Amino acid sequence: MDTRHDADTPRTPGPSRLARGSLGADRGRLPELMETTRAYAVRILAGLDDRPAARAPVRPAPASLPEAGIGLEGAMEEFARRWEPGFAAGAGPRYLGFVTGGVTPAALAGDWLTGALDQNPTSGVDSLAPDLERETAAWLRDLFGLPPEHEGTFVSGATMSNFAGLAVAREWLGELRGVSPAEEGTAALGPVTVLSGSPHSSVVKSLSMLGLGRSAIRRVGLSPGREAVDVALLAEELDRLDGAPAIVVANSGTVNTVDFDDLRAIAALRERHPFWLHVDAAFGAFAALSPAHAHLVAGLGDADSVCVDLHKWLNVPYDSAIQFNRRRDLQARVFQNSAAYLGPVGDDPDFVHLTPENSRRLRALPAWFTLAAYGREGHAEIVRRCVALAAGLGERIAALPGYRLLAPVRLNVVCFTLASSPTPGRIEELAAAITASGEAFLTPTVYEGVPALRAAFSNWRTTEADVERVAKLLASVAPRA
Ligand SMILES: *Cc1c(COP(=O)(O)O)cnc(C)c1O
């Protein structure tokens, strides 16, 4: 009988390779193996500044499923040999692509302990874990200045947060029309209009997942030279609906130029028109932490549902976001998971009745740790510094021959392009040269039809010295005119 995978079967020591590959042997050496893992992680963290910001992937030779394992130490050696060299410094200070936050020391500790404790915060029958999630959600509500009616649940990212918020919006439309899409299906709802100025692609994806359809979205005109919605045009669109209830998705921080819809003005339209106001504030919500920028999200608390990503500017590891909304009853109607062993939904539903997943990790713990460790002030400092660094890079780029800014730096993203003939091909070459340097990682975009690059600042590690290095790099890779 092969007992190599049988943890608790006593056996005489065999050849060393078998001993190494046994779960029982790993269990016996657990403290030592965790020390080895810790040391490995520390080496990775210590090298983050020097690790290439991004890598052009070179795939290792394929390996097939091991029949006999090689134990944790062996697995670590294999990972270090075959895979780790191809991993980017995504948590490093000059990974400025997308909007990718880093990981604070406390968030990392919280994430490790999440795995060590392996709680399922689905329901409170066996542990306090769901209460920790509730406390963390309340802290985040406070951090973003939302009123107590907004209750939060953790999901895996802003896409799922948009999805969950829009699912509640869909149920609200049903309530007004006297049907329950959750019970009767989306068809019972009839056509739905979703109005938005510059919606994130994940909003469109959510509409597909919700059965409302990607084509439910109607793009409203923007203010001249802006990515913010023209509120007068939005009012006209609502007028045209002739009293039919709708969903408005407002954007607090567009990904290209970090523009903000006027939330107060949009919310005021609800006096004349029935609509659910969902705000995608994936990273823009953090403007609330900077006194000089808080006005950009004034009125966020007036929203019916709010999406905030946490693996971006809160600097917790992937994957983490929060979904806030004012209608927990409707949320439970959508996500309830009734089963004899789970108990009734009730007035204060367990998380199993509130999120797309049933079982899920205690995603709140890394967020709890970083908020407990650094508080509002520590996280406000990260935001203020990132904003200052983005402004600094913006000034340097504006002064560099060969480049021009495509939009003012409103918060934490610099959107820029080549001063002359920024064709898709030339921007692609530029992005590739930046990636190949290992010095920084920037992602391409198209803004107002112009191919461009974005540098997004949201990592607690990034400093003025990094901005200096990125500016030098840009000067060196600028194509000769
Ligand atoms: C990043 C982002 C999303 C999607 O977030 P994921 O975490 O990738 O799911 C949605 N909206 C905005 C504005 C974003 O910046």
Side-chain angles (χ1 to χ4, degrees):
M1 197 178 87
D2 186 343
T3 58
R4 276 170 294 182
H5 297 284
D6 201 348
D8 293 313
T9 308
R11 57 190 175 79
T12 49
S16 68
R17 197 177 141 272
L18 291 190
R20 237 182 134 201
S22 105
L23 187 52
D26 271 9
R27 183 179 180 160
R29 295 176 59 213
L30 189 58
E32 181 194 334
L33 291 172
M34 288 301 103
E35 280 304 322
T36 309
T37 310
R38 184 197 56 76
Y40 181 34
V42 167
R43 276 201 304 283
I44 289 174
L45 292 171
L48 262 188
D49 273 16
D50 302 318
R51 176 183 284 264
R55 319 249 186 177
V58 180
R59 294 200 175 79
S64 46
L65 170 71
E67 289 303 330
I70 48 177
L72 170 53
E73 251 169 12
M76 214 179 305
E77 281 162 22
E78 274 298 279
F79 172 71
R81 188 176 65 79
R82 295 184 61 230
W83 292 106
E84 191 229 299
F87 281 21
R94 290 177 311 285
Y95 188 101
L96 307 177
F98 311 105
V99 186
T100 301
V103 183
T104 65
L108 181 57
D111 200 63
W112 285 355
L113 295 175
T114 304
L117 284 160
D118 198 23
Q119 305 288 293
N120 187 354
T122 292
S123 75
V125 296
D126 58 343
S127 113
L128 267 179
D131 294 296
L132 179 132
E133 177 161 343
R134 288 189 189 95
E135 176 168 281
T136 315
W139 285 2
L140 288 164
R141 175 174 65 201
D142 194 352
L143 190 70
F144 302 120
L146 297 174
E149 301 81 72
H150 271 283
E151 295 193 86
T153 39
F154 275 77
V155 289
S156 58
T159 301
M160 286 312 286
S161 179
N162 280 326
F163 168 81
L166 292 169
V168 181
R170 186 186 64 179
E171 200 61 18
W172 175 83
L173 286 178
E175 187 177 64
L176 295 192
R177 294 180 189 179
V179 296
S180 167
E183 290 300 322
E184 298 160 61
T186 310
L189 201 52
V192 168
T193 302
V194 182
L195 298 166
S196 190
S198 303
H200 188 266
S201 52
S202 63
V203 167
V204 181
K205 175 174 177 165
S206 296
L207 295 176
S208 158
M209 293 195 284
L210 285 164
L212 295 174
R214 295 177 198 269
S215 65
I217 199 136
R218 195 174 296 168
R219 282 167 207 267
V220 182
L222 306 175
S223 299
R226 300 271 307 269
E227 282 188 305
V229 74
D230 182 325
V231 180
L233 293 178
L234 176 62
E236 279 175 29
E237 289 281 358
L238 288 163
D239 273 337
R240 242 170 261 146
L241 294 176
D242 217 12
I247 299 171
V248 172
V249 176
N251 303 292
S252 286
T254 57
V255 287
N256 270 339
T257 69
V258 194
D259 211 339
F260 288 79
D261 287 349
D262 183 341
L263 300 179
R264 285 245 162 89
I266 294 172
L269 296 176
R270 281 185 305 196
E271 282 164 25
R272 284 186 291 128
H273 306 278
F275 62 86
W276 179 276
L277 178 55
H278 174 81
V279 181
D280 181 354
F283 64 93
F286 286 83
L289 276 67
S290 161
H293 302 87
H295 66 277
L296 295 169
V297 285
L300 189 64
D302 294 338
D304 297 298
S305 53
V306 177
C307 152
V308 187
D309 228 335
L310 303 176
H311 52 222
K312 287 176 180 166
W313 226 345
L314 192 68
N315 281 262
V316 297
Y318 290 107
D319 45 16
S320 189
I322 191 157
Q323 202 291 306
F324 292 106
N325 74 79
R326 294 167 175 274
R327 290 296 303 272
R328 198 145 256 211
D329 58 327
L330 298 181
Q331 187 176 356
R333 216 187 279 171
V334 175
F335 294 112
Q336 66 173 276
N337 185 85
S338 296
Y341 67 96
L342 286 170
V345 176
D347 289 339
D348 187 16
D350 286 333
F351 286 114
V352 69
H353 300 303
L354 294 170
T355 53
E357 313 91 341
N358 279 359
S359 298
R360 58 213 246 290
R361 77 198 309 257
L362 183 55
R363 204 168 267 135
L365 195 54
W368 186 94
F369 259 87
T370 198
L371 291 170
Y374 314 118
R376 190 195 302 274
E377 186 40 48
H379 280 277
E381 190 277 327
I382 297 173
V383 170
R384 288 195 303 265
R385 180 153 43 92
C386 286
V387 170
L389 294 172
L393 183 65
E395 279 163 26
R396 284 181 164 84
I397 288 175
L400 274 179
Y403 295 101
R404 69 186 170 92
L405 291 181
L406 266 186
V409 181
R410 290 191 186 87
L411 199 65
N412 61 330
V413 174
V414 187
C415 185
F416 65 100
T417 193
L418 292 168
S420 70
S421 36
T423 59
R426 294 185 84 204
I427 292 293
E428 216 172 279
E429 269 171 35
L430 183 62
I434 292 168
T435 302
S437 77
E439 270 285 282
F441 181 64
L442 275 60
T443 37
T445 188
V446 176
Y447 176 58
E448 287 189 325
V450 183
L453 287 177
R454 294 165 67 256
F457 291 79
S458 48
N459 191 312
W460 70 282
R461 286 179 174 270
T462 315
T463 64
E464 187 55 42
D466 295 305
V467 168
E468 199 76 52
R469 280 172 72 167
V470 174
K472 258 198 198 134
L473 168 68
L474 289 174
S476 75
V477 295
R480 308 282 160 249

